Amino acid sequence: MTTTEIARRLEAHGILPTAQRVRIASVLLAMPQHLSAEQLLAQLKDGGGRVSKATVYNTLNLFA
């Protein structure tokens, strides 16, 4: 799924598609998986991005 498709999907659910939210969603939607917030944070940081733990938790709450 491209970042544009992810952004459109978030918008369709009334979520503002910020860069960090799109990155988090791209990891979550990449394949069927169950990640903890810590695992998600580690994957995002391994990918070279900067994201805070609070942002990950807030975004997961928003997505839920």
Side-chain angles (χ1 to χ4, degrees):
M1 190 176 278
T2 68
T3 56
T4 302
E5 292 169 330
I6 291 170
R8 286 185 185 143
R9 191 169 182 179
L10 293 176
E11 287 175 337
H13 291 281
I15 298 172
L16 181 65
T18 65
Q20 290 179 327
R21 289 175 183 165
V22 170
R23 286 188 49 237
I24 292 168
S26 68
V27 171
L28 293 173
L29 298 173
M31 65 180 126
Q33 59 189 336
H34 181 82
L35 299 172
S36 69
E38 295 294 328
Q39 290 169 320
L40 178 58
L41 182 60
Q43 280 195 21
L44 291 165
K45 287 187 176 184
D46 287 345
R50 292 182 55 199
V51 62
S52 71
K53 185 185 289 190
T55 298
V56 170
Y57 277 97
N58 289 336
T59 302
L60 290 174
N61 267 339
L62 179 63
F63 289 175

